[in-house]
Amino acid sequence: MASQYVDMVMGQVVARNPGETEFHQAVREVAESVQVVIDKNPEFATMKVLERIVEPERQIMFRIPWVDDHGQVQINRGFRVEFNSAIGPYKGGLRFHPSVYLGIIKFLGFEQIFKNALTTTPIGGGKGGSDFDPKGKSNNEVMRFCQSFMNELFRHIGEDTDVPAGDIGVGGREIGYMFGQYKKLTNTFTGVLTGKGLEWGGSLVRTEATGYGLVYFVTRMLQDKGATWKGKKVVVSGSGNVAIYATQKVHELGAKVIAMSDSNGYIVDEAGINLNTVKRIKEVERGRIREYVDEHRTAQYVEGWQGIWTVPCDIALPSATQNEIDETAAKSLVKNKCMVVAEGANMPSTPEAIEVLQQNHVAFGPAKAANAGGVATSALEMCQNSMRLSWTFEEVDKRLNMIMNAIYDQCTAAAEAYGVKGDLVAGANIAGFLKVAKAMMAQGIV
Ligand code: NDP
Ligand code: 2IT
């Protein structure tokens, strides 16, 4: 339900950011949700809060030259979009994937503003990355690339300024190489990155946090339907950090993940995915998901990643990438009587897909809320770094669980307060926006 005001803001966003379709998509959803907030609080319109929020505070693009194992010079492009610092230092991951361009980093940075606001912790929104493809690269190549990336990035970040972390293609290995280079360049040992190794400032539970948090969030969605995890069939797309630890927690809670994927295809194992095999293939060997069927005769491999949404399930957790559930996939989930869809990935459902799911009463948990456990635990890592101490696994996990419950409560309360009861998309956008908008109002025109 677009209005004149939303149309006006969207017109400006499209004109000023041509070709950045993912960014337009992310902005449109928030703008449509917060229309009711702006109607009720006209000072937000007078002070142009929405128009200011859609403009990044700072965007950095830079050259990343490095030398591959054959002695050839390679050039990639690096990005850091420091989107909004109204409630804390810029915070958000780095994505290394060949599809990365400014529009992807901006959509991710924009989403991060509201997600981070929902976590209840004091962090602003940012995102970065590169079009570097880590696939098939040696460890030494990845190290040289990360060092070159940090040779520019270091001057823009800092524990109280901007604190990057991982995302697609950036895990513990890459954070290690980047942290080493930052430390060498600045001669400081600070909490400038999160997702660090446990021996050098990392937090317990950060590795598991996005996946675990997603499952804690879905627990509340199920409760609202009078249901539990027991005996449920679950499909999780992707087989990276988010997918693996969501699957681990799903299994702990007595449900069964029966399908996972990567960008080539998907596996179905009705006996329940053996997570040890997936972890070995993806985390240790950096192999392909198809290798799973070599060891598990009950399983099947199907080429192409989109088909995973035709696998009948009670709960779907898209945890790979943006726009992986389109209208057709959503219709297929509805036909198969899926009861809950919750987003582990960022913006994995198209607007058309969300409409199909919501109209058919499938409970829908949006990324900003459902996958916020990762960045929330990053904020807990920052907190531990500042105090120069570390909490136990149980302590961090308990805080993560409390945060996911608080996020769920904020989303449901905001949806109810603004007349869209039960709509978690609107609830997440409204609650996140309100926190940031109030901070921006208090801080003047800066
Ligand atoms: P990883 O790099 O660990 O894993 C990504 C997984 O998604 C891989 O299995 C990858 O397959 C698959 N994938 C990537 N691109 C595509 C594509 N175009 N089509 C199909 N599959 C694809 O990343 P994460 O698990 O960290 O991130 C997954 C999602 O979760 C992203 O959307 C990310 O933004 C989001 N997220 C991550 C958080 C974190 O803490 N890590 C926090 C919150 C959200 P392949 O190996 O073939 O590339
Ligand atoms: O999308 C995300 O929230 C992340 N990739 C995690 C960001 C972070 O700073 O931990």
Side-chain angles (χ1 to χ4, degrees), residues 96-145:
F96 292 171
H97 193 271
S99 63
V100 163
Y101 76 109
L102 188 59
I104 295 230
I105 300 300
K106 272 159 73 177
F107 114 66
L108 290 163
F110 183 73
E111 297 257 306
Q112 202 85 48
I113 303 170
F114 308 99
K115 180 199 302 194
N116 293 4
L118 289 171
T119 65
T120 71
T121 63
I123 44 178
K127 202 84 185 191
S130 173
D131 57 3
F132 174 74
D133 186 359
K135 271 199 203 86
K137 302 289 191 298
S138 69
N139 265 330
N140 276 331
E141 288 177 321
V142 170
M143 180 179 76
R144 286 196 295 274
F145 172 80

Side-chain angles (χ1 to χ4, degrees), residues 43-274:
E43 67 277 16
F44 288 153
T46 318
M47 298 307 279
K48 299 217 167 133
V49 171
L50 185 59
E51 291 91 326
R52 279 195 276 154
I53 243 176
V54 299
E55 189 67 23
E57 290 176 13
R58 192 176 296 108
Q59 309 183 51
I60 302 141
M61 276 174 69
F62 50 98
R63 179 173 68 193
I64 313 167
W66 57 282
V67 181
D68 69 18
D69 286 348
H70 309 290
Q72 300 288 319
V73 177
Q74 301 283 343
I75 296 111
N76 286 99
R77 185 172 283 181
F79 304 86
R80 187 71 184 168
V81 174
E82 297 180 334
F83 224 118
N84 193 295
S85 60
I87 65 167
Y90 309 107
K91 181 84 196 86
L94 298 169
R95 178 177 290 192
F96 292 171
H97 193 271
S99 63
V100 163
Y101 76 109
L102 188 59
I104 295 230
I105 300 300
K106 272 159 73 177
F107 114 66
L108 290 163
F110 183 73
E111 297 257 306
Q112 202 85 48
I113 303 170
F114 308 99
K115 180 199 302 194
N116 293 4
L118 289 171
T119 65
T120 71
T121 63
I123 44 178
K127 202 84 185 191
S130 173
D131 57 3
F132 174 74
D133 186 359
K135 271 199 203 86
K137 302 289 191 298
S138 69
N139 265 330
N140 276 331
E141 288 177 321
V142 170
M143 180 179 76
R144 286 196 295 274
F145 172 80
C146 288
Q147 291 174 339
S148 183
F149 184 77
M150 193 49 83
N151 283 344
E152 174 59 34
L153 189 68
F154 86 98
R155 67 187 93 249
H156 307 289
I157 61 177
E159 60 178 340
D160 295 322
T161 314
D162 183 355
V163 184
D167 193 81
I168 290 178
V170 178
R173 175 181 62 169
E174 292 74 18
I175 294 291
Y177 293 147
M178 288 189 277
F179 184 80
Q181 188 69 358
Y182 181 88
K183 185 164 66 65
K184 169 131 188 155
L185 290 166
T186 61
N187 195 26
T188 56
F189 193 114
T190 71
V192 66
L193 295 165
T194 58
K196 299 184 290 300
L198 297 177
E199 304 81 6
W200 41 281
S203 172
L204 286 159
V205 193
R206 177 61 190 90
T207 303
E208 296 84 357
T210 312
Y212 279 21
L214 172 67
V215 172
Y216 298 152
F217 191 85
V218 172
T219 303
R220 290 292 301 276
M221 295 174 74
L222 287 168
Q223 274 168 12
D224 270 1
K225 287 198 166 234
T228 69
W229 284 98
K230 273 268 158 324
K232 296 288 183 301
K233 275 191 182 187
V234 185
V235 166
V236 180
S237 66
S239 45
N241 173 269
V242 179
I244 285 174
Y245 293 97
T247 299
Q248 188 177 87
K249 188 52 82 175
V250 164
H251 286 175
E252 255 178 61
L253 296 179
K256 197 158 68 173
V257 172
I258 55 161
M260 293 181 86
S261 60
D262 63 19
S263 54
N264 291 113
Y266 66 97
I267 51 167
V268 183
D269 189 344
E270 291 287 345
I273 297 279
N274 182 317

